[in-house]
């Protein structure tokens, strides 16, 4: 029910100490995160609600939430983040639970046992030993099953459009270097533009426009980290009309510039 591959799941750690600025590593698409506190405490404002998060807290995030850190523990704070692509979920059951958790709890709950399971999952992703994807997939499936039992939520069975959505995501991947319009994609899916927009956002927890943009930036990050192409060439390779538009989108999604990202990954 959960399938992790090298391309649909990434991870990073945020550290904050008294004398340091928090470092935001470039993140993967779309903005679906499962976070857990590994050290210290912080006040995190999510959708205007303040949450004190400490070790044992789990925070599920989607792109629809507005969030910012307000205060950190003076002794330091560490947050480990697992970023998931929509297609980690091979059917809609666990994904529906993920979105329901965000809707009902703002994504924040406390369970040390589940935090330990996420820590084990993070370690598997980090070590990348033989067959780590299979073991990580099993641990993430276990996490969702135990979280569903702990929170007592139930969701509807998988929808009939799961297969069609998979085709749409494949279509976006196949055309990510081109200009992917809402009109063409909606037509490909057999929907009107307005109906498609609502369906896509509900099914994926992120708007069509933001999903496509994040996928383009993910493609750009791959090229920046693995090729010697110039930034301007990468911008056009990823379907951007201008270098300024590329810089703005890259900074908004990753928190840094293409040049700084390239420098960090090519030292």
């Amino acid at each position: 029910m959960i399938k992790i591959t090298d391309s649909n799941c990434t991870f990073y750690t945020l550290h904050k100490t008294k004398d340091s600025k928090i470092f935001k590593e470039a993140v993967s698409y779309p903005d679906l995160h499962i976070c857990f506190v590994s050290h210290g405490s912080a006040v995190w404002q999510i959708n205007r609600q303040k949450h004190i998060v400490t070790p044992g807290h789990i925070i599920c995030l989607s792109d629809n939430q507005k969030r910012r850190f307000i205060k950190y523990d003076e002794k330091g704070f560490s947050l480990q983040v697992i970023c998931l692509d929509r297609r980690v979920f091979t059917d809609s059951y666990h994904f529906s639970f993920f979105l329901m958790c965000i809707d009902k709890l703002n994504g924040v709950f406390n369970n040390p046992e589940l935090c330990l399971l996420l820590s084990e999952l993070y370690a598997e992703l980090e070590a990348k030993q033989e067959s780590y994807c299979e073991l990580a997939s099993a641990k993430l499936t276990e996490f969702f099953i135990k979280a569903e039992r702990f929170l007592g939520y139930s969701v509807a069975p998988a929808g009939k459009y799961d297969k069609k959505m998979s085709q749409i995501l494949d279509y976006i991947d196949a055309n990510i270097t081109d200009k992917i319009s809402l009109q063409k994609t909606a037509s490909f899916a057999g929907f009107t533009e307005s109906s498609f927009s609502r369906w896509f956002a509900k099914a994926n927890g992120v708007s069509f426009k933001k999903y496509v943009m994040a996928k383009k930036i993910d493609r750009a990050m791959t090229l920046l980290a693995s090729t010697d192409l110039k930034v301007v060439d990468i911008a056009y390779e990823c379907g951007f009309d201008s270098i300024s538009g590329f810089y703005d989108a890259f900074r908004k999604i990753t928190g840094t510039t293409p040049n700084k990202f390239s420098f960090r990954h090519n030292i």
Side-chain angles (χ1 to χ4, degrees):
M1 289 185 281
I2 298 290
K3 185 176 182 180
I4 289 176
T5 67
D6 287 324
S7 62
N8 66 17
C9 181
T10 58
F11 57 95
Y12 63 99
T13 301
L14 295 177
H15 291 294
K16 171 68 179 179
T17 61
K18 186 176 180 179
D19 300 319
S20 70
K21 293 183 178 180
I22 199 161
F23 177 73
K24 181 180 179 182
E25 174 62 303
V27 299
S28 185
Y29 61 86
D31 199 6
L32 303 174
H33 298 159
I34 299 177
C35 317
F36 60 101
V37 180
S38 54
H39 168 71
S41 63
V43 178
W44 202 350
Q45 181 171 295
I46 305 174
N47 285 346
R48 299 183 179 179
Q49 293 184 22
K50 294 180 181 179
H51 302 272
I52 299 175
V53 292
T54 60
H57 273 96
I58 295 167
I59 308 97
C60 298
L61 301 171
S62 80
D63 189 69
N64 293 327
Q65 295 164 290
K66 294 182 179 180
R67 53 193 183 264
R68 66 187 180 96
F69 287 104
I70 297 176
K71 185 179 179 180
Y72 300 96
D73 191 324
E74 290 187 358
K75 296 180 180 179
F77 173 72
S78 296
L79 182 78
Q80 292 183 290
V81 185
I82 299 170
C83 312
L84 305 175
D85 182 281
R86 166 65 174 87
R87 278 170 293 181
V88 165
F89 305 91
T90 56
D91 62 47
S92 67
Y93 187 86
H94 293 313
F95 187 72
S96 296
F97 165 78
F98 180 90
L99 296 182
M100 186 181 294
C101 177
I102 290 172
D103 181 56
K104 290 182 177 290
L105 296 175
N106 223 4
V108 181
F109 62 97
N110 189 301
N111 188 305
E113 179 186 354
L114 290 177
C115 273
L116 179 59
L117 184 56
L118 288 177
S119 181
E120 293 172 355
L121 168 60
Y122 193 96
E124 283 296 329
L125 294 173
E126 195 170 37
K128 292 189 176 181
Q129 295 181 4
E130 185 178 356
S131 301
Y132 82 95
C133 285
E134 289 82 355
L135 188 54
S137 298
K139 286 185 178 294
L140 188 56
T141 300
E142 182 182 356
F143 166 79
F144 276 103
I145 291 172
K146 288 186 174 179
E148 289 157 14
R149 290 175 178 175
F150 171 70
L151 295 172
Y153 293 162
S154 60
V155 295
K160 63 181 180 179
Y161 290 116
D162 272 5
K163 185 175 181 180
K164 182 181 285 289
M165 179 55 70
S166 181
Q167 292 172 342
I168 295 302
L169 299 182
D170 287 343
Y171 172 83
I172 292 172
D173 279 348
N175 294 278
I176 200 63
T177 59
D178 300 323
K179 297 176 183 178
I180 305 174
S181 71
L182 173 63
Q183 180 183 14
K184 287 184 179 180
T185 311
S187 177
F188 174 80
F191 287 85
T192 63
E193 290 183 39
S194 58
S195 295
F196 176 77
S197 293
R198 290 192 297 271
W199 172 59
F200 189 95
K202 184 177 180 180
N204 295 290
V206 62
S207 71
F208 172 78
K209 181 179 179 180
K210 288 182 178 179
Y211 182 87
V212 171
M213 187 59 65
K215 288 284 283 186
K216 286 181 177 292
I217 296 303
D218 182 78
R219 168 69 175 162
M221 288 190 292
T222 299
L223 294 175
L224 285 167
S226 61
T227 72
D228 294 325
L229 289 173
K230 296 180 180 178
V231 172
V232 63
D233 294 327
I234 290 175
Y236 292 120
E237 171 69 18
C238 294
F240 286 88
D241 292 326
S242 66
I243 189 66
S244 60
F246 173 62
Y247 267 82
D248 288 344
F250 196 97
R251 186 182 294 109
K252 183 176 181 180
I253 290 177
T254 68
T256 188
T257 66
N259 303 84
K260 290 180 180 179
F261 177 86
S262 179
F263 177 77
R264 285 204 305 268
H265 289 78
N266 291 282
I267 294 176

